[in-house]
Amino acid sequence: MSDNRTQYLLDASRMPKHWYNIAADLPQALPPVLHPGTMQPIGPADLAPLFPMALIEQEVSTEREIPIPEPVREVFKLWRPAPLFRARRLEQALGTPARIYYKYEGVSPAGSHKPNTAVPQAWYNAQAGVKKLTTETGAGQWGSSLAFAGALFGIDVTVFQVRVSYDQKPYRRALMETYGARCIASPSNETQAGRAALALRPDHPGSLGLAISEAVEVAATHDDVKYALGSVLNHVLLHQTIIGQEAMLQLEMAGDDPDVIVGCTGGGSNFAGIAFPFIGQQLRGGKKRRIVAVEPAACPSLTRGKYAYDFGDTAKMTPLTKMHTLGSSFTPPSFHAGGLRYHGMAPLVSHLKELKLLEAVAYHQVACFEAGVMFARAEGIVPAPEANHAVKGAIVEALRCKAEGRSEVILFNLCGHGHFDMSAYSAYFAGKLTDQSYDESELAMALAGLPSVAA
Amino acid sequence: MSDNRTQYLLDASRMPKHWYNIAADLPQALPPVLHPGTMQPIGPADLAPLFPMALIEQEVSTEREIPIPEPVREVFKLWRPAPLFRARRLEQALGTPARIYYKYEGVSPAGSHKPNTAVPQAWYNAQAGVKKLTTETGAGQWGSSLAFAGALFGIDVTVFQVRVSYDQKPYRRALMETYGARCIASPSNETQAGRAALALRPDHPGSLGLAISEAVEVAATHDDVKYALGSVLNHVLLHQTIIGQEAMLQLEMAGDDPDVIVGCTGGGSNFAGIAFPFIGQQLRGGKKRRIVAVEPAACPSLTRGKYAYDFGDTAKMTPLTKMHTLGSSFTPPSFHAGGLRYHGMAPLVSHLKELKLLEAVAYHQVACFEAGVMFARAEGIVPAPEANHAVKGAIVEALRCKAEGRSEVILFNLCGHGHFDMSAYSAYFAGKLTDQSYDESELAMALAGLPSVAA
């Protein structure tokens, strides 16, 4: 049974040498990705303008284990293996018989799990001779992570940042610039997609889908520029599985085995990172566990979206994937977990939900901040607003255990610290934070506008 | 000789169980602390209104090893043992034959080394039955660390924050509030010292010395309130020695032994933390090393101050200590390393400088930010503005090694991350950061106003 420690550190020699690819264990293959022009399944060549071949191979691979290159592991040592903690003080504050563990990804130089994929993406691009990468970012967690990785491997990074964040959150932009990246407010005048948006509305606040359109356009129209995405795609989720693999080894050290695994979901990558290695175990005949995805009630793709083919961006330039989507034209209301404001969900996460291998729940932001403040006062780490959703989900499970008198083991992913997000906490304490709801008729319209794809 | 790793992690079982007390090894004892009323040496009873007896005993102890209480070590496991890194990419960028190591203290929940002393201070107070603590803070690193520690041990923390920081840097304040602390702009109407300052100047911007006066006054005039200080005092420096002790074990793992040790100095605590265990080794007959204190040119207590008895605060309420001081009425110009804006230097650090056991150098802020940006792009971690001074000092040493063709070993303390300080980086990139100099005539006046103490 469990021991009496609070901290489980892996020796560097035990950092995983492979990523876990859940495609190897799926009972049904993922629906094909479709070409935006032909609506026919795409092949690797269609993705070649955007990504280096090594990443395209990972995108479609069905190998169970994919080696992590040694230079990537070397950089990971700046913060990995990441710690696993037993939340003893939180358990006590809740009076729960549950044992709560959290994996902490805020120890990375960018303060979140995003460098887990930024570093290998930058490395594979550098290996392919790529010197320039474009990407998009909302609040800036992904953009700053790719900027960090680009600096290490000599790649110029250009980031299209959603204008409202660019204007309101200059600190993440300063972080990108510190790493040497160029940060452009989106919509910009540098792309057709951007110019079209500005023509419609000169004070356009931007959206993640639109910033993706701009970044993809630059890569698609320049031979010497590739594109990188921080979530959603199979290879991105693959890179995050190091989180769950480490947690598995650390829980063995603790002599415990999770009954419930909780993660927050925006595009799905940190959630996949913690959950997929455990789901894979189950698919290969191992223990059945409850896997809970927690999403914001203001942008609830898994709980309110439609499982359908859709575009990844606003300008409809990306390939189509089958996923839970609110419609690529859907604009969520403003709320503070900027990393969870995407209209779609990773195809792999969506597929697993359809296969009933995971459950999803949505919470409003005020309740999530309340959970985050409770966590900070008990455990000492201030979570990012995104991570507060996972904290809330874990607390709900722990209180259920209390009500039922069950000492289950709960594992959740604390995917980032909140040091860049203290203005949101200020707003919370000032009583200025409200629960934003999307407009039902706007959602209905966005869903009605989904592309029609022959089954 | 040195191995080929970049990361040196200690197993939790090797976290030091004792702090190192340099008072045990001093060739000459520290000059006595004087009572502000009588100008005579004080005894433990004089400090009792402010501190619990366990901390007063540490303040005057000459025992070499002082045990770290188990509950304190348990909390330390949230981030300790802290990593030691070999800065291989920085070495390469500089083209230096030197081997550069840095100890990274930004992994703590507050993002700096300050919790190393906040946690034991809160714990000893809680053990003594104290339920309320007051303190002061400039930029907020210390205040947020004590707020964090107070939350863990059930102590109400009230922080007097220098008004200019309170107004300009609301994010650290939000961090303190997240941990449940009360944060008051200083000067305030809650103390005599504050009211006197406001009477003179209603828009008083505050100063660290004045905030100390307010916090000390509240503790001195309320039986149920104690006071905590984040630097300068012997017991605070003692608590930081865990940094250097861990670094010593980690350098043994690396098979290396430092020739030069670099730290930034404000009040002196992070510098003492990395340096004292090594200085102690030398005092006991071990290797002689160069120990370099780097301070801001705008507040250069060690390089331009007078070694004399002075007060720790503006209102002249604290005991007098012999230290390098710019005069307690000296107000440094505004610059971005808020943690280095104190008029005095820790008596122990000052004493060691007089004994020629360390050297001091001062750099202006623009050169320090330049060094910090170079470090971030090479190593991936963005340093706090305070830590940029240590980075600058280490780079200067590494370039000297290059010029001299010497492969010395350089160790420096990266005492905190810059995630709360990105506005300073923004200003740097916008070209708005300038090198602030103090007014020579103001310094002369402040020094002329030093209290006269019989030799």
Side-chain angles (χ1 to χ4, degrees):
Chain A
M1 283 305 293
S2 60
D3 64 15
N4 60 3
R5 285 180 288 176
T6 55
Q7 176 218 43
Y8 301 91
L9 285 187
L10 281 184
D11 188 78
S13 65
R14 298 190 71 197
M15 189 202 293
K17 294 191 167 63
H18 297 84
W19 291 297
Y20 166 66
N21 182 9
I22 200 166
D25 293 317
L26 289 176
Q28 281 174 241
L30 211 54
V33 175
L34 305 184
H35 191 285
T38 65
M39 297 287 180
Q40 294 301 308
I42 61 167
D46 295 306
L47 293 173
L50 297 185
F51 304 106
M53 202 42 73
L55 290 175
I56 296 172
E57 282 165 13
Q58 290 181 1
E59 188 65 20
V60 298
S61 169
T62 53
E63 290 292 314
R64 183 173 293 126
E65 294 197 325
I66 295 182
I68 307 177
E70 201 44 48
V72 169
R73 292 180 76 244
E74 196 52 41
V75 173
F76 281 173
K77 287 180 185 168
L78 266 174
W79 73 96
R80 307 211 72 86
L84 178 86
F85 294 110
R86 168 92 180 263
R88 289 185 188 272
R89 290 182 291 265
L90 179 64
E91 291 169 15
Q92 209 172 359
L94 294 168
T96 179
R99 298 196 289 287
I100 308 175
Y101 293 87
Y102 60 97
K103 179 78 172 165
Y104 183 42
E105 293 290 321
V107 283
S108 83
S112 77
H113 64 291
K114 292 287 183 190
N116 294 337
T117 183
V119 173
Q121 288 194 53
W123 185 80
Y124 284 115
N125 273 286
Q127 287 300 105
V130 175
K131 301 270 182 237
K132 294 180 187 171
L133 277 173
T134 60
T135 195
E136 70 291 324
T137 201
Q141 283 156 331
W142 165 244
S144 55
S145 298
L146 192 69
F148 151 69
L152 300 186
F153 297 119
I155 295 180
D156 282 343
V157 174
T158 299
V159 182
F160 289 91
Q161 183 172 25
V162 177
R163 175 171 287 283
V164 61
S165 293
Y166 181 94
D167 289 337
Q168 287 175 5
K169 300 189 171 181
Y171 301 127
R172 284 265 180 194
R173 180 177 11 131
L175 184 58
M176 294 182 239
E177 288 171 356
T178 300
Y179 288 131
R182 183 168 163 243
C183 187
I184 302 168
S186 168
S188 77
N189 274 314
E190 307 209 1
T191 66
Q192 278 202 313
R195 287 187 294 270
L198 289 172
L200 278 173
R201 187 178 162 188
D203 66 340
H204 200 299
S207 75
L208 206 51
L210 182 51
I212 293 177
S213 296
E214 291 206 90
V216 166
E217 181 184 324
V218 170
T221 55
H222 293 79
D223 281 348
D224 62 338
V225 183
K226 297 282 182 198
Y227 168 73
L229 188 66
S231 189
V232 177
L233 297 177
N234 301 347
H235 68 271
V236 180
L237 275 53
L238 172 79
H239 297 158
Q240 295 293 354
T241 57
I242 193 170
I243 301 173
Q245 291 183 94
E246 285 183 2
M248 213 173 253
L249 296 173
Q250 289 163 313
L251 283 162
E252 271 173 29
M253 287 169 68
D256 246 335
D257 195 352
D259 300 297
V260 188
I261 295 169
V262 180
C264 65
T265 44
S269 77
N270 97 77
F271 170 78
I274 191 99
F276 280 11
F278 290 95
I279 298 177
Q281 247 186 6
Q282 174 181 335
L283 289 171
R284 297 192 302 278
K287 175 173 171 177
K288 166 119 184 72
R289 302 177 178 94
R290 285 182 52 229
I291 311 285
V292 182
V294 183
E295 61 181 10
C299 191
S301 56
L302 273 175
T303 53
R304 293 295 315 279
K306 190 172 168 186
Y307 186 56
Y309 272 102
D310 196 8
F311 296 95
D313 70 329
T314 308
K316 306 187 176 185
M317 295 174 60
T318 70
L320 290 92
T321 54
K322 198 160 183 187
M323 58 181 176
H324 289 87
T325 179
L326 300 164
S328 66
S329 67
F330 177 79
T331 303
S334 166
F335 60 96
H336 277 283
L340 308 181
R341 297 186 75 241
Y342 188 59
H343 69 274
M345 178 49 59
L348 270 172
V349 173
S350 294
H351 187 61
L352 290 168
K353 170 125 191 295
E354 289 304 298
L355 295 174
K356 302 198 192 319
L357 288 162
L358 58 88
E359 30 188 304
V361 60
Y363 295 113
H364 277 294
Q365 69 176 351
V366 173
C368 293
F369 272 89
E370 191 184 4
V373 169
M374 181 182 195
F375 181 85
R377 292 180 185 178
E379 292 295 315
I381 297 169
V382 178
E386 293 80 4
N388 281 344
H389 290 75
V391 173
K392 170 69 181 171
I395 289 177
V396 165
E397 292 296 328
L399 292 177
R400 176 189 55 74
C401 288
K402 183 180 182 178
E404 296 174 359
R406 298 165 72 96
S407 55
E408 292 181 14
V409 176
I410 300 166
L411 167 67
F412 75 95
N413 194 28
L414 191 69
C415 61
H417 69 57
H419 293 181
F420 288 106
D421 307 285
M422 295 316 299
S423 63
Y425 280 89
S426 284
Y428 171 74
F429 287 116
K432 287 179 187 158
L433 211 66
T434 54
D435 287 337
Q436 303 292 323
S437 291
Y438 55 86
D439 184 321
E440 288 282 357
S441 64
E442 197 196 316
L443 174 59
M445 245 172 63
L447 290 175
L450 285 173
S452 56
V453 174
Chain B
M1 283 309 291
S2 62
D3 64 14
N4 61 3
R5 286 179 287 175
T6 55
Q7 176 220 45
Y8 301 90
L9 284 187
L10 283 184
D11 189 78
S13 64
R14 298 191 69 198
M15 190 203 294
K17 294 191 166 66
H18 297 83
W19 290 298
Y20 166 67
N21 182 10
I22 200 167
D25 293 318
L26 288 177
Q28 281 175 242
L30 211 54
V33 175
L34 306 184
H35 190 284
T38 65
M39 295 287 179
Q40 293 301 308
I42 61 166
D46 295 307
L47 294 172
L50 297 184
F51 305 106
M53 201 44 72
L55 291 174
I56 296 172
E57 282 166 11
Q58 290 181 0
E59 188 66 17
V60 298
S61 170
T62 53
E63 291 291 315
R64 184 172 291 127
E65 295 198 321
I66 295 182
I68 308 177
E70 202 43 52
V72 169
R73 292 179 78 244
E74 196 53 41
V75 172
F76 280 173
K77 289 180 184 166
L78 265 173
W79 73 97
R80 304 210 75 86
L84 178 86
F85 295 109
R86 167 93 179 263
R88 289 183 187 275
R89 290 181 292 264
L90 179 64
E91 291 169 16
Q92 209 172 359
L94 294 169
T96 179
R99 300 196 287 288
I100 308 174
Y101 294 87
Y102 60 98
K103 180 77 174 165
Y104 183 41
E105 292 291 321
V107 284
S108 83
S112 78
H113 65 292
K114 292 289 184 189
N116 294 338
T117 183
V119 173
Q121 287 196 52
W123 186 80
Y124 285 115
N125 273 286
Q127 287 301 104
V130 175
K131 301 270 182 239
K132 293 180 187 170
L133 276 173
T134 61
T135 196
E136 69 290 326
T137 201
Q141 284 156 331
W142 166 245
S144 56
S145 298
L146 192 68
F148 150 70
L152 300 186
F153 297 119
I155 294 180
D156 283 344
V157 174
T158 300
V159 182
F160 289 91
Q161 183 171 25
V162 177
R163 173 171 288 284
V164 61
S165 294
Y166 181 94
D167 289 337
Q168 287 175 6
K169 300 191 170 179
Y171 301 126
R172 284 266 180 192
R173 182 180 6 137
L175 184 57
M176 294 182 240
E177 289 172 353
T178 301
Y179 287 131
R182 183 169 162 241
C183 188
I184 302 168
S186 167
S188 77
N189 274 312
E190 307 209 0
T191 66
Q192 275 201 313
R195 286 188 294 270
L198 289 171
L200 279 173
R201 186 176 163 188
D203 66 340
H204 199 299
S207 76
L208 207 49
L210 183 51
I212 293 177
S213 297
E214 290 206 272
V216 166
E217 181 184 325
V218 169
T221 55
H222 293 78
D223 281 348
D224 62 337
V225 182
K226 297 282 182 199
Y227 168 72
L229 189 66
S231 190
V232 177
L233 297 177
N234 302 346
H235 69 270
V236 178
L237 275 54
L238 171 81
H239 297 158
Q240 296 293 353
T241 58
I242 193 169
I243 300 173
Q245 293 183 92
E246 284 183 3
M248 214 174 255
L249 297 172
Q250 288 163 314
L251 282 163
E252 272 172 31
M253 289 170 66
D256 246 335
D257 195 351
D259 301 296
V260 189
I261 296 170
V262 180
C264 63
T265 44
S269 77
N270 97 77
F271 170 77
I274 191 96
F276 281 11
F278 291 95
I279 298 177
Q281 247 184 8
Q282 175 180 335
L283 289 172
R284 297 191 303 277
K287 175 171 171 177
K288 165 118 185 73
R289 303 177 176 93
R290 285 182 53 230
I291 311 284
V292 182
V294 184
E295 59 182 11
C299 190
S301 55
L302 273 174
T303 54
R304 293 295 316 277
K306 189 170 168 188
Y307 185 57
Y309 272 102
D310 196 7
F311 296 95
D313 69 329
T314 306
K316 307 189 176 183
M317 296 174 60
T318 69
L320 289 93
T321 55
K322 199 160 183 188
M323 59 181 178
H324 289 88
T325 179
L326 301 164
S328 67
S329 66
F330 177 80
T331 305
S334 166
F335 60 97
H336 277 284
L340 308 182
R341 299 186 74 242
Y342 188 58
H343 69 274
M345 178 50 57
L348 270 171
V349 173
S350 294
H351 187 59
L352 291 166
K353 169 121 189 300
E354 288 304 298
L355 295 174
K356 304 201 190 315
L357 288 162
L358 57 88
E359 32 188 302
V361 61
Y363 295 113
H364 277 294
Q365 69 175 352
V366 172
C368 293
F369 271 90
E370 193 183 1
V373 169
M374 181 183 195
F375 181 86
R377 290 180 187 177
E379 292 294 314
I381 297 170
V382 178
E386 292 81 4
N388 281 343
H389 290 74
V391 174
K392 171 68 181 170
I395 288 177
V396 166
E397 293 295 328
L399 293 176
R400 176 189 56 75
C401 288
K402 182 181 183 178
E404 297 174 359
R406 300 164 70 97
S407 57
E408 293 180 15
V409 176
I410 300 166
L411 167 67
F412 75 96
N413 194 28
L414 191 69
C415 62
H417 69 58
H419 293 182
F420 288 105
D421 306 287
M422 296 316 298
S423 63
Y425 281 90
S426 286
Y428 170 75
F429 288 116
K432 288 181 188 159
L433 212 65
T434 54
D435 287 338
Q436 303 293 322
S437 291
Y438 55 86
D439 184 320
E440 288 282 355
S441 64
E442 198 197 316
L443 174 59
M445 243 171 62
L447 289 175
L450 284 174
S452 57
V453 173

